[in-house]
Amino acid sequence: MTVRSFSLDAVSLSKSYGRTRVFENVSFSIATGESAAFTGPNGSGKSTLCDIAAGIRRPGRGTISHYLNGAPLQGESLLRVTGLAAPRVNPYDELTGMENVRFAARARGADPLTAAPLFEFFGLARHRDKLLRHYSSGMRQRLKLILSVLHDPALLILDEPGANLDDEGRWKLAEFIELIRARTALIIATNDRGEAALCSSEVRLD
């Protein structure tokens, strides 16, 4: 595998919607092999901060910079190296699990065959040709995790990754994070202390 170095530096980020302040003066940094947990009560802005980290939204104030092998990233170049699994990111009900993989792989320029061991790992191999509308909520969540890493992202953002997972699914999630953490910069947004403990640092939003 190609050796790569990714880094993200966020300084004094603030975000408001109208007169409603979401968060203020949030700073953090993360690099390949490192992980950060975004924690805080509901409505504290964890998902918004995830979107800002991914380059999907802009902060109201502050700066955020992304670099890959020393070169700055923004726009489409940042999106190409970012993986995201979040409640608001939904695969297609009218497609099978494998068809969702092929669609995502084509959009990301990835090889859909890389999903085969991931289907096995997450216990979805026998469900890969089942329409997504027939997946349970936990199976959907496992598929979201598969889709988030098809293109071997340099930055992986998991927003509430344990949502709808049973105990076995949560164990698999922890194992999955251990397998991928050395090759990516990882952000987990969570209210679960067990998930937060999987990260090497914490960004607390109040």
Side-chain angles (χ1 to χ4, degrees), residues 5-185:
S5 175
F6 175 89
S7 63
L8 180 161
D9 292 297
V11 180
S12 300
L13 300 181
S14 298
K15 186 67 176 179
S16 299
Y17 294 107
R19 296 184 178 181
T20 302
R21 178 178 62 83
V22 182
F23 54 77
E24 190 171 22
N25 294 326
V26 174
S27 298
F28 65 96
S29 61
I30 188 172
T32 301
E34 297 176 350
S35 51
F38 293 171
T39 64
N42 293 340
S44 60
K46 297 186 297 296
S47 294
T48 298
L49 188 56
C50 283
D51 287 348
I52 292 172
I56 298 171
R57 301 188 195 190
R58 293 183 178 181
R61 294 194 305 274
T63 61
I64 185 164
S65 305
H66 307 77
Y67 297 90
L68 182 63
N69 298 329
L73 291 170
Q74 56 184 353
E76 189 63 33
S77 64
L78 173 59
L79 293 177
R80 280 198 299 268
V81 300
T82 301
L84 175 65
R88 61 202 174 282
V89 178
N90 290 304
Y92 297 100
D93 278 351
E94 64 271 22
L95 300 181
T96 67
M98 193 60 205
E99 286 170 342
N100 270 285
V101 163
R102 293 193 188 102
F103 180 85
R106 186 164 57 248
R108 292 288 199 171
D111 183 352
L113 294 179
T114 60
L118 291 169
F119 272 105
E120 290 285 351
F121 179 84
F122 281 109
L124 292 180
R126 65 189 180 94
H127 303 289
R128 56 188 290 172
D129 296 319
K130 181 185 294 185
L131 289 174
L132 205 71
R133 69 168 63 100
H134 300 307
Y135 274 34
S136 69
S137 57
M139 291 164 62
R140 285 172 175 266
Q141 184 64 15
R142 294 177 190 219
L143 182 64
K144 286 185 183 184
L145 294 172
I146 292 172
L147 296 174
S148 72
V149 294
L150 282 177
H151 58 303
D152 187 26
L155 171 64
L156 178 60
I157 300 174
L158 306 178
D159 189 355
E160 299 182 15
N164 301 312
L165 294 181
D166 56 16
D167 288 343
E168 180 186 359
R170 289 177 179 274
W171 295 332
K172 281 294 183 182
L173 172 63
E175 187 178 351
F176 170 70
I177 288 170
E178 286 304 314
L179 289 172
I180 57 92
R181 71 163 66 247
R183 186 158 173 78
T184 189

